[in-house]
Amino acid sequence: MYIDTHAHLTDKIFEGQINDILSEAKQSKVEKIITSGFDLNSSKEALDLAKKYDNIYCSIGVYPENIYDYNEQIENQLKKLSQNKKVVAIGEIGLQYTENMPEHEKQKEVFLRQIKLAKDCKLPVVLHCREAYGDMISLLKKNKDLLTFGGTFHCFSGSYEIAKEAIKLGLYISVGGVSTFKNAQNVKNMLKNIPLENIILETDCPYLIPHPYRGKVNKPSYIPLIAENLAIIKGCNIEQVENITTQNANNLFKI
Ligand code: NI
């Protein structure tokens, strides 16, 4: 059995198709899916979906692009939502230093508030990081005490050195479709060098579809493609990838 640890099933593109998506996923042995919020509204939608389906869980949080109006009121609402058992993480939250994003100091401030929130809620964190790995790692090192319930680097694209730092902090490395791209040699090298015991699988659907389906809509049923590719990278069999990454996801999210 597989777990898709990061999906966006509330995306409009999946509207009216959730039953089909779940049955296709089941045929591919993907039996649990964590759907992720990225602002207050999508977090509420994620929880609504999780309440409706036994094998859907959710993570809630506000990610960098949407932090402009982050305040205590939003934080309190997230806290309230987190009391539902179907909420298994705070995320995606993090830092993104690409163009047209909120200023870095503001991003760090809101990120820190949300990792504190995760600890208060006794939940792990799902981290989103783009072009900000240096600041992210130093901020996490300084606040290691807030990572009591662990976490994962969603769609990790950092170097082997950064991955080692993340693992030292007790975090998992989440692997998605990018690891199957022909031009993803850095990600492949990093994966080759870190233990399977530190890796979990995700699709980030509808984005980041694995090779050879690029151009189509990604979905949870593609998880075995990511597992198969990881088995090739690690030189092990796919059952090992399936068993160990599922065990890892269970350890982290307790589902
Ligand atoms: Ni995502």
Side-chain angles (χ1 to χ4, degrees), residues 43-55:
S43 296
K44 283 180 185 165
E45 287 172 5
L47 179 55
D48 284 343
L49 200 64
K51 282 183 188 162
K52 222 167 135 187
Y53 296 93
D54 275 355
N55 45 353

Side-chain angles (χ1 to χ4, degrees), residues 114-125:
Q114 290 189 94
I115 55 175
K116 278 186 186 139
L117 174 71
K119 182 161 183 180
D120 287 349
C121 299
K122 300 187 166 47
L123 289 171
V125 286

